[in-house]
C-alpha cells in the first residue's frame, strides 16, 4: 500500500494550484499563530485580575475595624481564641468560587435565579421543602416501626451518673440538645434490652456535663472517652465485633470534636450525632456522622406570625468573635435596613426575630448556633453565613427552599441579594419555613417529626445493613 500511495501523494504535491489558493495556505498558519497569541494574552490578563481580586477579598475578610469605627470594639485584633476554634480562613480560599470575587457580577447572578435554581424564569424543585417527601415518609415509617437501640446500662450509684444518665428535669440553654435527645430516647420505644435485635449501640456519655465536672474538665474529656471505650469493650462483646462501627454518641457543644482525640481508630468508626458539623475538622466525617440542630428548648406552640409586621430586611445580634462577623459588622453595622448589632440587645431578642424578614446566622467560633432554630421558630428566613457547614437534616430537607445560603465573600452584596428576592419568592421561602420548623423543636414527650425523631431517622440511615448476631458463648456481662 505504501509504494502505491507514494506516487499519488507526489502527484498531489506537484499539482499546480491557483495563486490565490496558495496565498490562503501561506497566511493560514500566521493567522492561527496570531489568534493563539491573542487568546493567551486575554487568558493571562483575566487570570491576573481574578488573582488580584481574590487576594483583595481574602485581605478584606481579615481586615479589622479601625479605632474610629462606630462599633466601639476595643482591641478587636486580640479576639479571644479558644483551643477548639477552626482555623479555616486559609482553607476557605480552596472552596471559594472565583466568580464570587467579582461582587457586582455575583450579585447579578443571584438575582438571575441562582438562589432558587431558576432557568429561563422557571422554578425547579427548590420550591419543595423536601428532596423526596414520599421516600422520606416511607423510610420514616419503617424507622419508627423497626429501629432498635441498645443503651449501655448505668445506675444512679455510678460515680459519673451526672454524665451518663438522662436529666430528671427540663434542660435549657444553647447546648441542651444532647441532653434532650438522651431524655427522649430513654423514654421511647426505640430502646431494647436485647442486644441481638439492636441496630445501634448508644454510649450515653454527655459532653456538656463533662466540661463542667471538675473531676473531668474540658481537657480530661479525651481520657474519659478512651477509658469508657476500654471498659465497655472489656465488659461487653458488642464493641469488638464491629470495632465500634454500630455505636454512636451525641454531642452538641463544640468541644465534642476532641472527645476521641485519644481514641483515633474508634473515631473513624463511631457514628457521631453532633451540632458542630463542619467539613473541615478531621473529627467529622459526613455520611458516617450526622448533623443535629442546636435548639434552645421552648415550651408551648410557636407564636402567630404576621408577615406584614416584618419591616426590617435582615437582623443579626451577637459577639464579634470571628473574622466573618467582623466583616459583617464592618459592612452593615450602620445600615438602616440590615440591623447588625454587636453585643446584647436592649429589647427582647424575639421582637427582632418577629420584625425581620431575614435572620442572619454567621459563623462565630464554630459553625453551629441556636440562631437557625430561633429564626425558624419565629418565622424568619435564615441567612446561612457559615461556609462548609453540614446543615442539619440536609439529606432530607432542601435548604434552598427555606433559607438563603451566602458565601462569606458575598457579604458586601448581601443586601442586593436579599432585595432581589421577589414577593413571590419570599412567600415561598417563608411558607417552607413554617413547614420545616417542627423538625427543629424539642418536645417533652417527643412528637413525630420533631428534632428527636428526625435525629433518630438520621441514625436509621447510618445503621449497618448486615447485623452480626452473638453466639451463646459470646453473651456475657
Amino acid at each position: 500500500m505504501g509504494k502505491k500511495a507514494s506516487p499519488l501523494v507526489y502527484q498531489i504535491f506537484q499539482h499546480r494550484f491557483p495563486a490565490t489558493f496558495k496565498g490562503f495556505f501561506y497566511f493560514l498558519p500566521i493567522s492561527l499563530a496570531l489568534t493563539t497569541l491573542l487568546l493567551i494574552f486575554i487568558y493571562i490578563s483575566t487570570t491576573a485580575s481574578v488573582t488580584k481580586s481574590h487576594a483583595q477579598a481574602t485581605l478584606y475578610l481579615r481586615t479589622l475595624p479601625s479605632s474610629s469605627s462606630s462599633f466601639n470594639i476595643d482591641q478587636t485584633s486580640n479576639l479571644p481564641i479558644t483551643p477548639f476554634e477552626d482555623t479555616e480562613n486559609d482553607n476557605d480560599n480552596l472552596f471559594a468560587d472565583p466568580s464570587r470575587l467579582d461582587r457586582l457580577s455575583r450579585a447579578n447572578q443571584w438575582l438571575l435565579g441562582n438562589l432558587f435554581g431558576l432557568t429561563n424564569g422557571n422554578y425547579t424543585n427548590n420550591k419543595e421543602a423536601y428532596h423526596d417527601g414520599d421516600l422520606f415518609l416511607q423510610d420514616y415509617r419503617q424507622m419508627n416501626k423497626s429501629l432498635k437501640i441498645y443503651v449501655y446500662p448505668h445506675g444512679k450509684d455510678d460515680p459519673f451518673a451526672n454524665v451518663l444518665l438522662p436529666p430528671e428535669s427540663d434542660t435549657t440553654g444553647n447546648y441542651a440538645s444532647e441532653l434532650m435527645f438522651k431524655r427522649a430516647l430513654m423514654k421511647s420505644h426505640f430502646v431494647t434490652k436485647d442486644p441481638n435485635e439492636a441496630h445501634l449501640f448508644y454510649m450515653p456519655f454527655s459532653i456538656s456535663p463533662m466540661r463542667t465536672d471538675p473531676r473531668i474538665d474540658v481537657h480530661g474529656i479525651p481520657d474519659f472517652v478512651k477509658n469508657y471505650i476500654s471498659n465497655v469493650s472489656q465488659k461487653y462483646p458488642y464493641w469488638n465485633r464491629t470495632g465500634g462501627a454500630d455505636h454512636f454518641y451525641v454531642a452538641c457543644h463544640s468541644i465534642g470534636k476532641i472527645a476521641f482525640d485519644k481514641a483515633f481508630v474508634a473515631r473513624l468508626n463511631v457514628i457521631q450525632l453532633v451540632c458542630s458539623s463542619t467539613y473541615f475538622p478531621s473529627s467529622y466525617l459526613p455520611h458516617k456522622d450526622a448533623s443535629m440542630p442546636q435548639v434552645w428548648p421552648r415550651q408551648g406552640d410557636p407564636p402567630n406570625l404576621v408577615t406584614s409586621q416584618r419591616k426590617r430586611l435582615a437582623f443579626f445580634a451577637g459577639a464579634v468573635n470571628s473574622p466573618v462577623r467582623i466583616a459583617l459588622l464592618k459592612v452593615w453595622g450602620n445600615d438602616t435596613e440590615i440591623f447588625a448589632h454587636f453585643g446584647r440587645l436592649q429589647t427582647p431578642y424575639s421582637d427582632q426575630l418577629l420584625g425581620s424578614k431575614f435572620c442572619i446566622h454567621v459563623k462565630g467560633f464554630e459553625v453551629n448556633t441556636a440562631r437557625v432554630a430561633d429564626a425558624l421558630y419565629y418565622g424568619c428566613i435564615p441567612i446561612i453565613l457559615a461556609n462548609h457547614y453540614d446543615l442539619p437534616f440536609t439529606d432530607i430537607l432542601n435548604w434552598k427552599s427555606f433559607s438563603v445560603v451566602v458565601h462569606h465573600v458575598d457579604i458586601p452584596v448581601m443586601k442586593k441579594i436579599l432585595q432581589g428576592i421577589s414577593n413571590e419568592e419570599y412567600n415561598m421561602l417563608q411558607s417552607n419555613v413554617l413547614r420545616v420548623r417542627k423538625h427543629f423543636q424539642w418536645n417533652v414527650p417527643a412528637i413525630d417529626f420533631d428534632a428527636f425523631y428526625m435525629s433518630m431517622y438520621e441514625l436509621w440511615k447510618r445503621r449497618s445493613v448486615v447485623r452480626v448476631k452473638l453466639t451463646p458463648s459470646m453473651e456475657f456481662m
Side-chain angles (χ1 to χ4, degrees), residues 386-400:
N387 293 3
H388 327 307
Y389 182 13
D390 190 24
L391 291 162
F393 315 138
T394 190
D395 48 355
I396 307 165
L397 303 177
N398 180 11
W399 278 82
K400 286 187 177 181

Side-chain angles (χ1 to χ4, degrees), residues 54-290:
H54 195 173
Q56 291 173 345
T58 305
L59 179 62
Y60 161 77
L61 285 176
R62 295 178 179 174
T63 302
L64 306 178
S66 64
S67 58
S68 61
S69 173
S70 59
F71 308 132
N72 194 26
I73 304 172
D74 297 329
Q75 297 179 339
T76 317
S77 58
N78 297 320
L79 289 174
I81 304 297
T82 70
F84 315 108
E85 180 175 3
D86 290 340
T87 55
E88 65 180 53
N89 292 338
D90 294 334
N91 293 333
D92 273 354
N93 297 334
L94 300 175
F95 287 80
D97 180 355
S99 66
R100 296 176 184 272
L101 304 174
D102 182 351
R103 293 168 183 157
L104 181 59
S105 173
R106 176 62 182 160
N108 289 334
Q109 290 175 22
W110 279 82
L111 302 184
L112 287 174
N114 281 3
L115 174 60
F116 300 99
L118 307 182
T119 304
N120 298 326
N122 296 321
Y123 285 109
T124 67
N125 65 351
N126 281 340
K127 291 176 63 177
E128 300 299 327
Y130 301 89
H131 294 302
D132 191 327
D134 293 336
L135 180 61
F136 165 60
L137 287 176
Q138 180 181 347
D139 244 14
Y140 180 91
R141 293 190 189 101
Q142 183 65 23
M143 176 276 297
N144 205 5
K145 179 181 178 182
S146 60
L147 178 60
K148 295 299 177 184
I149 307 291
Y150 181 84
V151 182
Y152 283 110
H154 299 281
K156 292 184 178 180
D157 58 344
D158 192 295
F160 292 98
N162 61 313
V163 171
L164 299 168
L165 297 182
E168 296 181 356
S169 58
D170 293 341
T171 55
T172 59
N174 267 332
Y175 310 112
S177 291
E178 64 181 270
L179 298 177
M180 295 290 288
F181 175 90
K182 184 191 297 186
R183 188 180 180 192
L185 175 62
M186 298 307 293
K187 294 183 178 181
S188 73
H189 63 280
F190 296 112
V191 174
T192 178
K193 294 184 178 180
D194 181 3
N196 268 322
E197 70 172 8
H199 296 92
L200 296 168
F201 292 77
Y202 176 42
M203 298 181 293
F205 53 78
S206 295
I207 301 299
S208 291
M210 277 195 224
R211 70 188 182 94
T212 56
D213 191 322
R215 298 170 298 173
I216 304 174
D217 195 20
V218 169
H219 301 289
I221 292 176
D223 289 308
F224 184 97
V225 172
K226 179 183 177 181
N227 292 335
Y228 186 89
I229 293 174
S230 177
N231 290 336
V232 298
S233 64
Q234 293 177 26
K235 188 175 181 181
Y236 303 95
Y238 321 131
W239 176 280
N240 296 321
R241 61 183 182 173
T242 64
D246 53 0
H247 286 56
F248 74 95
Y249 83 104
V250 179
C252 199
H253 196 284
S254 58
I255 62 173
K257 67 185 178 184
I258 71 166
F260 283 77
D261 277 1
K262 294 188 177 181
F264 179 75
V265 175
R267 184 175 66 188
L268 296 177
N269 295 335
V270 170
I271 300 169
Q272 302 176 100
L273 184 61
V274 294
C275 295
S276 184
S277 49
T278 175
Y279 296 117
F280 269 109
S282 58
S283 58
Y284 182 81
L285 302 175
H287 307 299
K288 176 183 76 70
D289 303 324

